[in-house]
Amino acid sequence: MPEGKIIKALSGFYYVKDENGELIQCRGRGVFRKNKVTPLVGDYVVFQAENDTDGYILEVLERKNELVRPPIANVDQAILVFSAIKPDFSPLLLDRFLVLVESNDIEPIICISKTDLISKDAVQEIENFARSYREIGYRVLLTSTKEREGLDQLLPLLDNQISVFAGQSGVGKSSLLNTLRPDLDLETNEISMSLGRGKHTTRHVELIEVAGGLVADTPGFSSLEFLTIEAEELSYCFPEIYKVGANCKFRGCTHISEPKCAVRQGVEDGRIEQFRYDHYVSFYEEIKERKPRY
C-alpha cells in the first residue's frame, strides 16, 4: 500500500502527498472514529487510491509528537514570532510559548519581528533580551519584513523541516511568510488599536512549501494553559534551570524554598536571569494550583 503525508485537512477531506509528489484527496475510514484516532496534518499515513485523485486513509503511522491547538503532528520546529512593538515584546508570554514547545519535544526558534519600528533605546533592550536567550542556547533572529532583515538567516533553517509559525495575533506571522514566499498572498490584518491585538486571519491548517521545507501557517496556540505539564517536569522546559539544578543538594528540589538550592544561587550570581527564574516560579505555582482533570 502507498504511503504519504497529510499536508491539508478541510471539511472532512485529507489531502495526502504521495512519494511521487502527487496530491490525493482522501477520506478517513470509519475505523478511525471507532478507535478514536483523528488523522492530523503532518501525519504519515498508509492510503488506498481509488483513482489518480481520490482515495481512503487506511492507517496513521506512529507520531513523534502532536499539538492539539493547532491540530498538527510530527512538528520539527516552532518559529515563535514575537514583535518588538505593536504589540510590545513580552518575555513572559515568550517563556510560556517556550515551555509549551519544549514540553512537546519541538525545537524552538525565536523570531523577534518589526525591529524597524522601534526607537534606538528600545533596540538596546531587545538586543539584551536576544543575548539572554542566546546564552541559554536558543536560536534568536531579529527580523524586519520591511527591511528584509534576518530573512537570509531564517530561510536555511526551514529546509527539510516541518515548522509551525506561532505567536500572538498581530505580530506579523503572515507578513513574514508572504515575504518569504510572495506568491502566497496570505491575508494580514492590522492591529486593533483599542485591544492591542490582531484578528486571526488563518482558518485551517495547511502545510505549505517554503524554502525546501513545509510550514504550517496557524493561528498559534489558542490555548496557552499548562494542561499536560506537571510541576515536577517544569524545570526540563527551562534548559538553564535544569542544567544548574543538577547541583542542588536535595534530589527533586523544586528550586522554590529548599536549602542549598543551586538554582537560587545561580540567580544570585547571575548565571540564571532573574526574569526567567521569576517566570519559572510563576508557572510552577500556576501548575500546582491547577484543578485536577478527570
Side-chain angles (χ1 to χ4, degrees):
M1 288 292 179
E3 296 183 5
K5 181 189 292 179
I6 299 175
I7 64 165
K8 180 179 176 180
L10 189 63
S11 303
F13 287 100
Y14 303 97
Y15 296 83
V16 178
K17 182 166 281 192
D18 68 14
E19 294 164 341
N20 299 317
E22 300 296 324
L23 207 60
I24 313 294
Q25 177 180 278
C26 295
R27 284 194 177 278
R29 285 289 193 198
V31 68
F32 290 127
R33 284 189 294 277
K34 181 181 175 183
N35 296 334
K36 296 184 178 178
V37 173
T38 301
L40 298 175
V41 168
D43 270 331
Y44 295 95
V45 297
V46 177
F47 69 96
Q48 182 175 27
E50 296 191 314
N51 52 52
D52 289 344
T53 58
D54 297 276
Y56 283 93
I57 293 175
L58 303 177
E59 182 185 356
V60 174
L61 301 178
E62 187 177 356
R63 298 165 177 157
K64 71 174 183 180
N65 57 41
E66 64 179 275
L67 298 177
V68 177
R69 301 182 183 90
I72 185 169
N74 299 313
V75 177
D76 296 309
Q77 59 189 15
I79 317 298
L80 301 180
V81 185
F82 276 71
S83 55
I85 193 170
K86 293 184 179 180
D88 290 342
F89 180 73
S90 169
L92 175 63
L93 192 58
L94 173 55
D95 283 348
R96 187 172 279 271
F97 270 84
L98 284 169
V99 166
L100 290 167
V101 168
E102 293 270 13
S103 70
N104 283 285
D105 288 328
I106 297 170
E107 181 78 18
I109 296 171
I110 300 168
C111 181
I112 303 177
S113 64
K114 303 186 186 180
T115 54
D116 57 299
L117 299 180
I118 52 177
S119 67
K120 287 184 179 179
D121 291 341
V123 166
Q124 188 59 56
E125 184 183 19
I126 291 295
E127 287 181 346
N128 288 341
F129 276 120
R131 187 185 67 251
S132 295
Y133 283 105
R134 285 180 184 131
E135 287 175 352
I136 294 166
Y138 291 118
R139 196 186 296 265
V140 183
L141 307 178
L142 303 180
T143 65
S144 162
T145 53
K146 186 176 179 182
E147 306 288 341
R148 296 193 65 84
E149 178 192 357
L151 303 186
D152 56 336
Q153 296 172 277
L154 178 57
L155 280 168
L157 302 179
L158 302 178
D159 185 35
N160 203 33
Q161 301 289 302
I162 293 182
S163 308
V164 295
F165 276 58
Q168 277 177 290
S169 296
V171 295
K173 298 188 296 292
S174 295
S175 296
L176 194 57
L177 281 167
N178 282 339
T179 307
L180 295 173
R181 234 191 85 173
D183 60 302
L184 290 176
D185 196 26
L186 296 171
E187 181 185 354
T188 59
N189 278 350
E190 291 299 315
I191 298 289
S192 159
M193 295 311 290
S194 58
L195 297 175
R197 62 191 186 200
K199 298 176 182 177
H200 288 322
T201 55
T202 317
R203 292 177 179 81
H204 67 275
V205 180
E206 178 177 359
L207 292 174
I208 51 181
E209 292 185 9
V210 180
L214 294 171
V215 170
D217 177 33
T218 75
F221 295 81
S222 55
S223 172
L224 291 174
E225 296 177 44
F226 303 129
L227 299 178
T228 60
I229 303 170
E230 298 304 323
E232 295 73 25
E233 302 167 341
L234 183 62
S235 65
Y236 293 111
C237 303
F238 283 79
E240 75 278 34
I241 289 178
Y242 178 67
K243 181 180 177 182
V244 174
N247 297 315
C248 287
K249 181 178 181 181
F250 295 102
R251 191 175 179 182
C253 182
T254 66
H255 318 308
I256 307 291
S257 58
E258 294 89 341
K260 297 189 178 178
C261 170
V263 168
R264 293 210 311 282
Q265 182 61 46
V267 176
E268 283 187 28
D269 61 31
R271 285 178 295 148
I272 295 173
E273 292 277 7
Q274 182 71 53
F275 78 90
R276 286 276 292 174
Y277 177 72
D278 290 345
H279 295 166
Y280 167 82
V281 173
S282 173
F283 297 163
Y284 187 93
E285 291 172 350
E286 178 183 331
I287 293 169
K288 276 296 190 185
E289 291 171 6
R290 182 178 65 201
K291 291 180 181 177
R293 301 172 76 219
Y294 300 103

